[in-house]
């Protein structure tokens, strides 16, 4: 009688090897490295009057966000503080990103950098970048 062949045996072995490699990889990365690897998601849109930027910053306090413009570059930076993990709450793994973040955007030529406004609400940073009103550059020359 022929022995039973398990067609999934090799797949289970491969899965075990990959799983153990991932566990070693997670253990090899120090906590401080995990804390600095994140970039917030950004949505951008525009209309005739302004550009709008929405930055997802759940868990980031308003005081921990910095928005500035320098040399026509809009920089959004800050830090999300690490939540203290309580062992008795049954945490097995934490996948939230903590630490410093920064996103930079080159402003369009028609952006009015002097009138940019920012508002943080419900874990989202809303930035409004008004467009410069185009003025007629035609000057009537008086004939003498």
């Amino acid at each position: 009688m022929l022995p039973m062949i398990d067609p999934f045996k090799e797949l289970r072995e491969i899965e075990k090897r990959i799983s153990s490699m991932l566990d070693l990889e997670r253990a090899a990365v120090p906590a401080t490295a995990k804390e600095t690897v994140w970039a917030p998601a950004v949505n951008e849109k525009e209309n005739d009057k302004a550009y709008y930027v929405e930055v997802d910053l759940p868990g980031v306090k308003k005081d921990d966000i910095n928005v500035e413009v320098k040399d026509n570059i809009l920089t959004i930076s800050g830090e999300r503080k690490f939540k203290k993990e309580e062992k008795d709450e049954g945490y097995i793994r934490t996948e939230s990103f903590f630490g410093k973040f920064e996103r930079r955007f080159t402003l369009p030529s028609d952006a009015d950098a002097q009138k940019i406004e920012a508002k943080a609400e419900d874990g989202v940073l809303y930035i409004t970048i008004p467009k410069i009103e185009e003025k007629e550059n035609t000057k009537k020359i008086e004939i003498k």
Side-chain angles (χ1 to χ4, degrees), residues 2 9-10 13 17 25 37 83 90 113 128-129 131:
L2 294 173
K9 181 179 179 182
E10 284 187 51
E13 288 299 319
R17 282 190 232 144
E25 184 178 307
V37 184
K83 294 181 205 173
T128 302
I129 307 164
K131 292 183 178 180

Side-chain angles (χ1 to χ4, degrees), residues 51 72 106-116 129-132:
Y51 297 95
N72 210 39
T106 301
L107 295 175
S109 60
D110 63 344
D112 190 345
Q114 301 304 314
K115 295 182 181 176
I116 294 175
I129 307 164
K131 292 183 178 180
I132 297 172

Side-chain angles (χ1 to χ4, degrees), residues 100-127:
K100 296 183 183 198
F101 63 87
E102 181 175 273
R103 295 290 304 259
R104 292 176 181 233
F105 305 90
T106 301
L107 295 175
S109 60
D110 63 344
D112 190 345
Q114 301 304 314
K115 295 182 181 176
I116 294 175
E117 295 179 0
K119 173 179 80 168
E121 186 176 287
D122 297 328
V124 179
L125 175 65
Y126 298 94
I127 301 173

Side-chain angles (χ1 to χ4, degrees), residues 10 45 52-53 61-62 65 68 70 74 82 88 112:
E10 284 187 51
K45 58 186 175 180
Y52 303 93
V53 179
K61 294 179 183 172
K62 179 177 150 180
I65 303 169
E68 63 183 31
K70 182 178 179 184
L74 173 69
F82 185 75
D88 56 55
D112 190 345

Side-chain angles (χ1 to χ4, degrees), residues 12-89:
R12 284 194 297 271
E13 288 299 319
I14 292 170
E15 184 179 2
K16 284 180 189 177
R17 282 190 232 144
I18 290 173
S19 180
S20 67
M21 284 189 298
L22 291 175
D23 288 340
L24 288 173
E25 184 178 307
R26 280 190 211 112
V29 178
T32 54
K34 290 179 192 173
E35 294 171 6
T36 59
V37 184
W38 81 286
V42 174
N43 296 318
E44 302 173 48
K45 58 186 175 180
E46 74 171 292
N47 61 24
D48 294 340
K49 298 185 184 249
Y51 297 95
Y52 303 93
V53 179
E54 295 176 2
V55 185
D56 288 337
L57 296 171
V60 179
K61 294 179 183 172
K62 179 177 150 180
D63 295 338
D64 294 329
I65 303 169
N66 183 46
V67 179
E68 63 183 31
V69 176
K70 182 178 179 184
D71 298 329
N72 210 39
I73 304 288
L74 173 69
T75 303
I76 303 161
S77 60
E79 183 174 9
R80 185 183 320 176
K81 308 288 188 198
F82 185 75
K83 294 181 205 173
K84 184 177 178 184
E85 190 173 294
E86 300 291 331
K87 288 186 179 182
D88 56 55
E89 290 185 27

